[in-house]
Structure formats: structure tokens, C-alpha cells
Amino acid sequence: MRYHYCPKCGAKLSLRQLGDDGEVPWCASCETPWFDTFSTCVIALVTDGEGQVALLRQAYISKRYANLVSGYMQPGETAEEAAVREIGEELGLEVAELRFVSTYWFEKKDMLMIGFIARVSREPFRLSNEVDWAEWVPASKALSLVHPPGSVSYALVAAFLEEET
């Protein structure tokens, strides 16, 4: 989000040269820069540690492709806490091991996505109302079921498969 008005006082912002940052929206009244902001989310590939990964279908995300567990971080929450929380909320599973993989820019929604691989004990899913269905699939099949190359889900599955071979 690019600010045009000051969130504190409502004054119209002007651009001001700010060192290495270049031109930044500036409130002359508050003497405050307002840097562009974006959402921070987590995305996790959930595996049972035996070659299976959990794929979800959430119609509000895609009617065609499966997706991975993902969600917005909440204020005061670390990325690791958010990933564990989202896996618990969406699949009803407890995380035994969580490992950071990479960050990904999701341009379509101006989001920074923090990617993890989570190992869980394979138990029946307890799906949230946000999830239409979920299933365990062989990791080797997952690439053909998630969004195509260039997507964050695809990149995370590809990273997992590269590690496994």
C-alpha cells in the first residue's frame, strides 16, 4: 500500500528524498515518513516425513488448483508461531518440526510470504470451515496439483522435492 494521506493526522503527503530510500511519502505536519507497506503471510508445506504431503482445496483461493497451508501473520506473532497456528487451524494437526525454507514475493496480492516445511504425525485431518477438502498425496505428484511454475506453492513444493532427492 502506498500512502497518500498521513495515517496520524490526515494531511496530504508529499514526496521527500530520504537518503538511500529515494523519494518517500512524507507528512510535513508530523515530520514522519510513510514507507510503503504490505501484508506478511506464512505458507507451509506439510509432510508426514514419509514422502506424503498435505494438499488443500479452498475454493476462495482456486477452484482448479490445490494449495498449501497459508495465512496472515497476526500482530505480535512470529512467522514460526503463525505457521504452527495456521496448520493447527486449517488441518487440525500438531507440528513436530518446522523449518524455514525461503521468503517469496507474491506480486498478485503484494504479499511477502515466509515459506516453511512442517513435519507432522500423520493423523486424520480436522478441517476448518475455510478448507473444502484436504488429502495426503505423494510429494512427487504435488507439483502437478498446485498452481503452475512461478507460483509460491510450486516453488515451495519444488524446494521440498529437491531436498528429498
Side-chain angles (χ1 to χ4, degrees), residues 73-157:
M73 289 179 60
Q74 296 177 355
E77 192 174 48
T78 67
E80 292 82 0
E81 290 167 341
V84 168
R85 176 182 51 76
E86 286 291 343
I87 293 165
E89 287 176 1
E90 292 185 4
L91 297 177
L93 300 175
E94 285 188 35
V95 174
E97 182 183 327
L98 184 71
R99 190 174 50 76
F100 169 78
V101 176
S102 187
T103 58
Y104 306 92
W105 182 249
F106 184 29
E107 189 169 355
K108 182 178 177 183
K109 293 196 174 189
D110 284 338
M111 291 179 183
L112 176 65
M113 300 195 80
I114 303 169
F116 294 94
I117 293 174
R119 187 178 55 75
V120 300
S121 294
R122 190 165 171 171
E123 297 177 15
F125 296 123
R126 293 182 315 279
L127 303 179
S128 81
N129 293 334
E130 292 180 8
V131 179
D132 300 315
W133 62 256
E135 67 179 330
W136 291 103
V137 300
S140 59
K141 185 179 175 186
L143 269 184
S144 66
L145 299 173
V146 297
H147 289 271
S151 72
V152 176
S153 292
Y154 190 95
L156 192 52
V157 172

Side-chain angles (χ1 to χ4, degrees), residues 38-55:
F38 50 86
S39 298
T40 306
C41 301
V42 295
I43 185 166
L45 180 141
V46 177
T47 179
D48 64 358
E50 297 178 19
Q52 301 283 309
V53 299
L55 294 184

Side-chain angles (χ1 to χ4, degrees), residues 4-72:
H4 298 285
Y5 295 90
C6 178
K8 280 186 177 177
C9 73
K12 184 155 178 59
L13 302 175
S14 59
L15 293 178
R16 180 175 181 179
Q17 189 70 30
L18 223 61
D20 294 338
D21 294 310
E23 288 190 331
V24 174
W26 176 263
C27 179
S29 298
C30 297
E31 296 187 354
T32 303
W34 291 99
F35 293 92
D36 296 346
T37 59
F38 50 86
S39 298
T40 306
C41 301
V42 295
I43 185 166
L45 180 141
V46 177
T47 179
D48 64 358
E50 297 178 19
Q52 301 283 309
V53 299
L55 294 184
L56 295 71
R57 177 64 50 87
Q58 294 170 290
Y60 74 94
I61 293 176
S62 175
K63 293 184 186 331
R64 181 175 177 193
Y65 297 106
N67 54 285
L68 305 177
V69 171
S70 62
Y72 291 93

